[in-house]
């Protein structure tokens, strides 16, 4: 029975299968638990609560603004890292990606030190324009941008490196200057990468907790985003925490699904 | 025709990359198509890229219709500020987007996010045409290359031959002062290649400006170009019209391409003494450093030494035999290495097989000799 013997030989070793199964259970069970404990019947009513809507609206608006800022500054940074030819480029790349591994609370503290009333930029902003950033909605957006922009930069830089420069050369021979080449050839060709980066960036911003609570505080309607609201609700109203968590879970799954489609479509 | 430099292309392309050095002088008259023919890695594509401004010259110059695009500007040649320029230590360098040079790239490089019409309209748009005008011009060009119904197709939805024609239309739609083609037919299958070559020839013939074509295929070069420049190791080794280059090859590469046995030696009257010491009797009388060439079909093979007639004969060893069309091509080793074509009948009679000793003979009248 050669066929059967082959099957046996291909069987996954128990030493791998058991930890894999345990690990999967560990990843999936909490999400299942969340779904099991969800107050499905009261869900519509709870979702309509003003506090809930405030947090949701604030989160969506600030995460979108942070993504817009990341696109505005991150795409040029990515271009510089991918196409620029200057000394210290690898150092710059390392610096840009630091927020990826930095504990967000540290990022929040750092932002507070720079943009706080006694910080370098904060003092100047306060004296010149009478603007105070910490513990405002602006602070939420800045905190989100700080932690999520590297996701966009890394994604776009990868797309730029993968793009064939010869298309840009072809565009140049057709009379396109460098800026036109960028807007009319490079950008459309790396659009899938930019989109994937923007989605990742947005998802990261939406889940931002540490830097936000440190730099922006936790004021309902102003700086209290969904993750902050979940944390707060956990101490008083478990059901509310579950509902908020469900929304965040749904958004994450939607992001993942959209990215998968993107990636398989590109491949 | 015209004074070199004033009209058409006048270039001395030097690109030094340490291990490789391109040093090529090139003059192409308006309306003329010149083919750079050579093996892979000879520097043909580098030459084309330098002309287009995608590769920097180490030395030399490029002038198109009397305007210097790269290199030192002679005072008399260009009025001040005739073109946007970027001085580099007294030199002038015009960036690719201001050169008015159309390029058909080897793999076409059609923009994948634009359809055929948008691809062709890209150039005219950059040259200042309005959106509608550019599209109309693009549609016209698409008609001209016989693809009027394919305007909405993306490059991925075009066949190889169609993509090639769109690429040609895209390059020509900008009304370039010089057209460059990099292996324009290399990516096509044999049948498409035939049709596309005919059509490309028609477009090249109708061109007012100069055109430079890069290819490693002698058939493309002969059929599309008015003049061939054979490039090997970054230098031009032979130049001339198709007839003279194929009839009198000057390097082994060309001789192999056109299927000739080629030798170099010293001529004295009707003989050429080869470097190996062998002497070939030829038809023409000549003196000094010379080439001698004969086609494989001129070689006759015998089991024993043939006699009589003004023949060149030598002992040779069969190194290999393979089919070549309706006859057999025999590789011969020995004092004179050569290829011989024999009929299958003759091969059977001789019982040809590798390692066998034979006598080779070539009539003097079949050997062409010409100065090196």
């Amino acid at each position: 029975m050669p066929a059967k013997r082959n099957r046996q030989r291909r069987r996954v070793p128990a030493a791998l299968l058991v930890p894999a199964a345990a690990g999967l259970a560990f990843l999936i069970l909490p999400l299942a638990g969340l779904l099991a404990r969800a107050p499905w019947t009261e869900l519509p009513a709870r979702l309509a609560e003003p506090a809930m809507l405030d947090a949701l609206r604030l989160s969506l608006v600030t995460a979108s603004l942070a993504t817009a800022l990341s696109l505005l500054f991150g795409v040029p940074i990515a271009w510089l890292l991918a196409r620029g030819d200057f000394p210290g480029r690898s150092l710059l790349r390392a610096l840009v990606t630091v927020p990826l591994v930095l504990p967000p609370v540290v990022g929040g503290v750092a932002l507070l030190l720079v943009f706080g009333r006694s910080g370098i930029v904060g003092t100047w902003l306060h004296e010149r324009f009478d603007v105070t950033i910490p513990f405002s909605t602006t602070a939420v957006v800045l905190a989100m941008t700080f932690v999520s922009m590297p996701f966009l930069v890394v994604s776009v830089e990868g797309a730029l490196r993968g793009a064939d420069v010869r298309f840009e050369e072809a565009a140049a021979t057709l009379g396109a200057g460098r800026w036109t080449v960028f807007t009319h050839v490079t950008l459309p060709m790396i659009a899938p990468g930019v989109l994937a980066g923007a989605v990742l960036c947005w998802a990261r911003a939406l889940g931002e907790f540490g830097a936000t609570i440190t730099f922006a505080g936790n004021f309902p309607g102003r700086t209290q985003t969904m993750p902050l609201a979940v944390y707060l609700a956990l101490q008083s109203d478990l059901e509310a925490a579950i509902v908020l968590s469900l929304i965040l879970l749904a958004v994450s799954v939607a992001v993942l699904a959209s990215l998968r489609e993107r990636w398989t479509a590109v491949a | 025709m015209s004074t070199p430099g004033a009209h058409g292309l006048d270039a001395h392309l030097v690109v030094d990359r340490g291990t490789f050095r391109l040093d090529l002088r090139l003059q192409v008259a308006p309306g003329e198509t010149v083919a750079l023919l050579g093996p892979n890695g000879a520097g043909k594509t580098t030459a084309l890229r330098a002309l287009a401004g995608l590769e920097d010259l180490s030395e030399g110059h490029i002038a198109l219709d009397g305007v210097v695009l790269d290199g030192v500007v002679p005072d008399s040649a260009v009025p001040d500020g005739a073109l946007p320029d970027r001085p580099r230590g007294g030199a002038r360098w015009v960036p690719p987007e201001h050169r008015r040079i159309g390029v058909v790239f080897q793999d076409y490089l059609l923009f994948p996010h634009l359809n055929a019409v948008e691809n062709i309209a890209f150039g005219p748009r950059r040259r200042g045409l309005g959106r509608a005008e550019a599209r109309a011009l693009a549609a016209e060009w698409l008609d001209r290359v016989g693809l009027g119904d394919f305007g909405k197709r993306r490059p991925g939805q075009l066949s190889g031959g169609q993509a090639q024609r769109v690429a040609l239309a895209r390059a020509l739609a900008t009304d370039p002062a010089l057209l460059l083609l990099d292996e324009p037919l290399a990516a096509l299958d044999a049948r498409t290649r035939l049709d596309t070559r005919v059509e490309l020839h028609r477009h090249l013939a109708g061109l007012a400006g100069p055109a430079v074509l890069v290819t490693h295929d002698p058939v493309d070069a002969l059929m599309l170009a008015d003049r061939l420049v054979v490039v090997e190791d970054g230098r031009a080794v032979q130049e001339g019209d198709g007839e003279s280059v194929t009839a009198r090859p000057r390097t082994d590469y060309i001789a192999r391409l056109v299927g000739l046995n080629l030798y170099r030696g010293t001529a004295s009257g009707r003989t050429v003494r080869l470097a190996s010491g062998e002497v070939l009797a030829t038809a023409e009388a000549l003196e000094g450093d010379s080439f001698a060439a004969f086609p494989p079909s001129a070689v006759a093979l015998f089991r024993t030494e043939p006699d009589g007639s003004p023949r060149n004969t030598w002992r040779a060893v069969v190194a290999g035999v393979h089919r070549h069309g309706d006859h057999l091509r025999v590789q011969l080793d020995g004092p004179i290495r050569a290829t011989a074509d024999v009929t299958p009948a003759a091969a059977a009679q001789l019982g040809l097989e590798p390692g066998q000793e034979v006598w080779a003979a070539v009539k003097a009248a079949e050997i062409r000799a010409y100065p090196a």
Side-chain angles (χ1 to χ4, degrees):
Chain A
M1 295 281 213
K4 197 174 178 188
R5 217 186 311 153
N6 276 348
R7 279 179 82 101
Q8 280 179 347
R9 202 179 289 163
R10 260 190 239 133
R11 192 185 278 166
V12 182
L16 289 179
L17 192 60
V18 172
L24 282 172
F26 175 69
L27 289 176
I28 295 166
L29 270 180
L31 299 180
L34 190 63
L35 291 174
R37 287 291 303 273
W40 294 107
T41 47
E42 298 166 46
L43 202 58
R46 300 235 51 165
L47 279 175
E49 279 173 23
M52 200 82 74
L53 286 177
D54 276 350
L56 183 60
R57 193 185 312 117
L58 184 68
S59 264
L60 292 180
V61 169
T62 49
S64 301
L65 282 173
T67 306
L69 280 180
S70 297
L71 279 168
L72 192 63
F73 296 106
V75 172
I77 291 175
W79 191 89
L80 217 60
L81 292 179
R83 297 285 157 81
D85 184 18
F86 53 91
R89 194 172 57 155
S90 44
L91 180 70
L92 193 67
R93 180 182 296 116
L95 284 176
V96 165
T97 47
V98 161
L100 280 180
V101 290
L102 194 72
V105 177
V106 178
V109 171
L111 285 168
L112 202 55
L113 290 180
V114 174
F115 290 101
R117 280 243 188 126
S118 53
I120 315 161
V121 182
T123 311
W124 180 74
L125 281 175
H126 185 65
E127 285 172 1
R128 286 294 297 269
F129 304 101
D130 196 23
V131 170
T132 312
I133 290 184
F135 310 112
S136 67
T137 308
T138 310
V140 176
V141 175
L142 288 187
M144 286 176 164
T145 309
F146 183 80
V147 295
S148 62
M149 185 152 66
F151 285 87
L152 183 102
V153 172
V154 167
S155 174
V156 174
E157 196 204 339
L160 277 170
R161 286 181 178 282
D164 194 339
V165 186
R166 295 177 314 141
F167 284 102
E168 300 176 7
E169 293 180 343
T173 67
L174 291 167
R178 299 205 75 175
W179 174 244
T180 313
V181 169
F182 179 73
T183 55
H184 283 64
V185 177
T186 314
L187 216 44
M189 285 183 63
I190 61 162
V194 176
L195 192 68
V199 171
L200 273 178
C201 173
W202 188 77
R204 176 67 186 86
L206 196 71
E208 209 330 273
F209 181 86
T212 311
I213 202 163
T214 313
F215 182 45
N218 185 11
F219 303 107
R222 196 144 56 89
T223 72
Q224 193 186 77
T225 56
M226 298 271 289
L228 272 58
V230 171
Y231 185 73
L232 199 72
L234 207 50
Q235 332 212 329
S236 54
D237 184 354
L238 180 62
E239 216 168 70
I242 294 174
V243 171
L244 287 163
S245 302
L246 271 181
I247 296 172
L248 285 176
L249 177 64
V251 171
S252 312
V253 170
V255 163
L256 201 63
S258 78
L259 276 184
R260 259 194 68 86
E261 222 159 78
R262 251 298 132 192
W263 283 336
T264 46
V266 170
Chain B
M1 283 224 162
S2 51
T3 42
H7 292 286
L9 174 70
D10 173 46
H12 180 200
L13 309 170
V14 181
V15 178
D16 206 332
R17 289 218 202 92
T19 52
F20 173 81
R21 184 179 164 92
L22 172 78
D23 189 339
L24 189 68
R25 286 180 186 279
L26 199 59
Q27 288 181 352
V28 188
E32 188 186 28
T33 300
V34 166
L36 301 182
L37 176 66
N40 288 330
K44 303 169 305 214
T45 297
T46 304
L48 219 59
R49 288 176 57 82
L51 287 172
L54 302 173
E55 187 101 31
D56 282 342
L57 289 187
S58 313
E59 294 166 43
H61 69 272
I62 299 166
L64 185 57
D65 292 334
V67 177
V68 174
L69 301 178
D70 200 342
V72 179
V73 189
D75 289 339
S76 56
V78 188
D80 284 333
L83 261 186
D85 61 331
R86 192 177 75 187
R88 288 191 312 188
R92 175 187 291 258
W93 183 80
V94 179
E97 60 265 32
H98 293 306
R99 288 198 178 191
R100 300 192 59 88
I101 294 178
V103 188
V104 177
F105 293 89
Q106 179 169 4
D107 38 7
Y108 317 134
L109 299 177
L110 296 175
F111 304 126
H113 60 286
L114 301 179
N115 65 32
V117 162
E118 290 162 346
N119 260 285
I120 301 172
F122 186 92
R125 281 286 283 155
R126 306 286 89 75
R127 310 272 187 212
L129 245 57
R131 186 183 296 265
E133 287 170 289
R135 281 185 157 265
L137 182 67
E140 200 182 305
W141 268 105
L142 212 50
D143 267 339
R144 227 180 283 183
V145 296
L147 292 173
D149 298 332
F150 293 81
K152 291 256 188 292
R153 297 257 189 118
R154 293 281 177 98
Q157 301 165 314
L158 295 172
S159 72
Q162 291 164 346
Q164 201 278 344
R165 286 186 277 172
V166 173
L168 179 67
R170 184 176 72 169
L172 291 176
T174 58
D175 189 24
L178 167 68
L179 181 67
L180 305 176
L181 305 110
D182 189 2
E183 303 275 7
L185 304 172
L188 302 177
D189 60 76
R191 255 198 63 171
T192 317
R193 196 172 182 147
L194 219 62
D195 299 337
T196 315
R197 189 191 287 135
V198 171
E199 202 188 333
L200 184 56
H201 185 236
R202 190 164 60 80
H203 285 287
L204 287 175
L207 220 57
V212 178
L213 164 83
V214 153
T215 180
H216 68 272
D217 184 330
V219 180
D220 288 348
L222 289 171
M223 294 199 51
L224 295 172
D226 306 306
R227 189 153 55 86
L228 311 187
V229 175
V230 182
V231 183
E232 288 179 44
D233 291 328
R235 289 176 309 109
V237 291
Q238 190 170 0
E239 202 173 328
D241 60 24
E243 205 177 47
S244 73
V245 170
T246 52
R248 304 184 150 201
R250 303 180 72 83
T251 72
D252 284 336
Y253 167 73
I254 301 293
R256 259 202 314 280
L257 278 186
V258 300
L260 285 177
N261 293 300
L262 179 71
Y263 310 92
R264 190 161 182 172
T266 311
S268 169
R270 292 182 191 278
T271 61
V272 175
R273 178 176 292 276
L274 308 184
S276 60
E278 299 293 314
V279 175
L280 288 177
T282 64
E284 296 113 304
L286 209 62
E287 296 295 331
D289 197 7
S290 306
F291 286 110
F294 55 86
S297 58
V299 185
L301 299 183
F302 303 91
R303 279 190 153 172
T304 53
E305 181 170 10
D307 44 23
S309 69
R311 284 175 189 275
N312 298 286
T313 58
W314 68 92
R315 283 179 80 90
V317 177
V318 175
V321 181
H322 59 264
R323 277 195 75 87
H324 190 263
D326 57 358
H327 51 259
L328 296 173
R329 180 151 282 186
V330 186
Q331 305 291 333
L332 299 174
D333 252 346
I336 300 176
R337 299 171 60 124
T339 56
D341 284 352
V342 298
T343 61
Q349 199 189 345
L350 287 163
L352 287 180
E353 55 183 46
Q356 191 191 339
E357 282 207 357
V358 291
W359 282 90
V362 181
K363 286 179 187 161
E366 303 255 33
I367 300 185
R368 255 171 293 165
Y370 45 94

